[in-house]
Amino acid sequence: MPTNFADPAGPQRVFALTDCNNFYASCERVFCPHLTGEPVVVLSNNDGCVIARSNEAKAIGVKMGEPAFKREDFFRANKIHVFSSNYALYGDMSGRVMRTLARFTPDMEIYSIDEAFLDLGHMFGRNLDELGREIRDTVKQWTNMPVSIGIGPTKTLAKIANRVAKKHPEQGGVLDLCPLLGTPAMDRLLGKVEVGDVWGVGRRYTAMLARHGIFTARALRDVDRDWARRKMTVGGLHTVLELRGTSCIDLEHAPPPKKAILCSRSFGRAVRVRSEMDEAVAAYASRVGEKLRAQNSVASAVMVFIMTNPHKKTPQYADSFSLPLPVATAYTPTLMAAAQECLARIYKDGYIYKKAGVMLTGIERAGGRQLSLLDLPPSDTPRQEALMRSMDAVTAKWGRGTLQYAATGLGRPWKMRQLRKSPRYTTCWDEIPSVS
């Protein structure tokens, strides 16, 4: 007999996970409706690998992560529309979707660029399936973005519901698991979900569970609580309880600050001279500074790495160097100067470089930095902070690159190759679509 984990009083919480379908590919279709029904793929930085596919591209055999240059003939033969990554467009479309979702609930967690959890507990008693379809239709009407919605008494079950809704067209893009809690129908559904597809169960736990004969979400739900805690720690126990319908994972209203921030790119063409490498490292240091300030943090160390192309039959070299800062800071000129000093320690002439990166570590909250009596903040710190706020405000309003440091270069021949990039329809005046 199946174990009945249902609360007789009904679920105490109701979560909905809204997930944009094939997000990057769908963004490309928003302003190109003639692509509807056509196979679409989006490539990674430097037009390297496939990172997004429409359902039509999946159906004809395009694999995630495969190198684009190996499939050029296949793309042409199957009339596949290929796009370079357009992160300005994707970020703006994500913001439009999230603002639309926020109209339905005051309590929302933006989980990723294309996913958000909604707390629908205040709407308990309403037909949640109808509400999910209203949300889906509204997002489609206002943004032209197709979404799938999974509803459940826990975030883990909402994730599973979303996955089923997306993979089974007969669900119409929406599935509510709340009425199924504690029923044989829920047992059957969880029995078809592989344990590795359960939110929070990674590769290591999947392998461990398989050794104990646990292959499905249903089998994981039914394990002993003490066993789950011993084998999978408290996080694993929470997953088990969430599968039973007990909410243990609440919404996160602000993402936790990152402990390390990295900006790394493969060059659009190989870098052979020091001046171009200087520009690239300065540009990457500027970008990590923006990210650092966005989470109101400072960093106490800068690390730079450079490398050649391991896939080329040319002399190989790779190295990195980390430099501690006297005082933790988010001031871009200081970060750039440290990055340039790191580069000077490791750069060698005579090599053909493929990639470089700048990483910040020792990150802490800006208001809580640790100082010693010998390392007091410089007297112009308020001026530095005011300058950074002004530059960040200009970037936020007018776009990245509106203001930039001379050290990052003007022509940037090393920048990413994006030969198939669509216009920035929503964020650049010169690229707004026109109607004739």
Side-chain angles (χ1 to χ4, degrees):
M1 293 291 293
T3 304
N4 190 335
F5 295 107
D7 183 340
Q12 302 302 304
R13 303 291 301 275
V14 179
F15 297 93
L17 175 64
T18 302
D19 183 11
C20 299
N21 300 339
N22 308 316
F23 180 59
Y24 289 176
S26 294
C27 286
E28 299 294 350
R29 284 175 165 168
V30 168
F31 295 95
C32 298
H34 66 278
L35 297 179
T36 301
E38 299 284 327
V40 175
V41 301
V42 178
L43 305 180
S44 62
N45 294 338
N46 283 310
D47 296 343
C49 301
V50 174
I51 59 171
R53 308 160 293 162
S54 67
N55 288 335
E56 295 80 8
K58 297 175 185 177
I60 59 178
V62 179
K63 303 298 184 184
M64 185 68 81
E66 61 181 336
F69 75 92
K70 293 184 177 180
R71 300 286 270 173
E72 289 288 351
D73 292 340
F74 180 83
F75 291 161
R76 283 192 293 270
N78 289 275
K79 299 181 179 179
I80 297 175
H81 303 273
V82 183
F83 292 90
S84 302
S85 300
N86 187 344
Y87 296 117
L89 174 64
Y90 307 153
D92 187 69
M93 289 304 301
S94 173
R96 293 171 184 238
V97 170
M98 300 308 168
R99 288 192 294 272
T100 303
L101 295 175
R103 297 177 65 90
F104 290 91
T105 177
D107 211 3
M108 181 176 80
E109 173 191 343
I110 299 176
Y111 183 64
S112 68
I113 191 171
D114 61 344
E115 291 180 283
F117 284 103
L118 311 180
D119 188 339
L120 302 182
H122 64 293
M123 295 186 178
F124 188 72
R126 180 174 173 180
N127 187 315
L128 296 176
D129 182 81
E130 290 183 357
L131 175 60
R133 297 185 192 282
E134 179 184 343
I135 295 173
R136 187 172 187 266
D137 292 343
T138 302
V139 172
K140 178 66 175 175
Q141 180 180 4
W142 290 13
T143 69
N144 202 27
M145 186 64 58
V147 300
S148 297
I149 299 178
I151 302 172
T154 69
K155 291 173 74 174
T156 301
L157 288 175
K159 266 276 192 181
I160 290 175
N162 182 279
R163 184 181 184 87
V164 175
K166 182 177 291 189
K167 289 184 172 294
H168 296 274
E170 66 274 12
Q171 297 293 337
V174 178
L175 177 60
D176 176 18
L177 292 185
C178 291
L180 302 184
L181 194 62
T183 67
M186 178 68 89
D187 293 337
R188 289 192 296 269
L189 186 148
L190 294 182
K192 296 177 181 178
V193 177
E194 295 183 6
V195 72
D197 291 332
V198 175
W199 188 43
V201 178
R203 294 181 182 177
R204 186 168 61 88
Y205 280 146
T206 299
M208 182 275 292
L209 292 169
R211 291 194 297 270
H212 289 84
I214 300 170
F215 299 99
T216 67
R218 177 182 177 178
L220 178 59
R221 180 201 66 182
D222 294 343
V223 301
D224 179 74
R225 291 176 52 147
D226 292 337
W227 185 92
R229 182 162 187 164
R230 287 198 314 273
K231 295 292 185 179
M232 302 175 68
T233 71
V234 173
L237 174 60
H238 286 171
T239 297
V240 171
L241 295 177
E242 289 243 327
L243 288 172
R244 296 179 180 183
T246 300
S247 178
C248 301
I249 307 172
D250 210 345
L251 297 184
E252 291 185 1
H253 297 94
K258 295 180 179 179
K259 297 180 180 180
I261 297 177
L262 171 68
C263 180
S264 172
R265 300 282 189 274
S266 293
F267 302 127
R269 68 156 174 75
V271 167
R272 302 168 182 264
V273 296
R274 171 69 183 272
S275 60
E276 292 184 0
M277 184 67 80
D278 285 336
E279 291 179 358
V281 167
Y284 300 161
S286 176
R287 180 65 184 125
V288 293
E290 292 176 7
K291 294 182 179 180
L292 184 68
R293 292 189 296 275
Q295 67 174 37
N296 191 32
S297 297
V298 292
S300 59
V302 177
M303 189 270 281
V304 172
F305 73 86
I306 56 177
M307 61 183 297
T308 55
N309 191 340
H311 304 294
K312 296 284 188 179
K313 294 182 179 180
T314 55
Q316 298 295 307
Y317 173 71
D319 202 356
S320 64
F321 188 82
S322 183
L323 186 70
L325 300 173
V327 177
T329 184
Y331 186 50
T332 293
T334 300
L335 300 177
M336 290 172 59
Q340 295 291 359
E341 185 174 344
C342 291
L343 178 62
R345 302 286 188 99
I346 59 177
Y347 185 88
K348 291 184 179 181
D349 290 318
Y351 291 95
I352 302 173
Y353 292 97
K354 175 63 176 176
K355 189 174 185 179
V358 176
M359 184 167 69
L360 304 181
T361 57
I363 293 176
E364 54 189 312
R365 301 297 293 178
R369 75 181 85 183
Q370 297 296 314
L371 301 172
S372 73
L373 293 176
L374 300 178
D375 291 327
L376 295 176
S379 58
D380 60 347
T381 293
R383 296 177 58 191
Q384 294 178 352
E385 293 177 349
L387 175 60
M388 293 298 97
R389 283 196 300 270
S390 297
M391 292 195 66
D392 292 341
V394 170
T395 297
K397 183 173 183 178
W398 300 107
R400 193 169 300 123
T402 304
L403 291 177
Q404 56 188 7
Y405 295 88
T408 65
L410 298 177
R412 298 188 180 185
W414 43 267
K415 69 180 180 180
M416 287 191 304
R417 182 173 63 250
Q418 295 177 301
L419 302 179
R420 294 161 164 165
K421 185 179 176 182
S422 57
R424 294 165 293 177
Y425 298 105
T426 61
T427 57
C428 180
W429 285 108
D430 295 333
E431 298 176 21
I432 292 177
S434 58
V435 178
S436 57

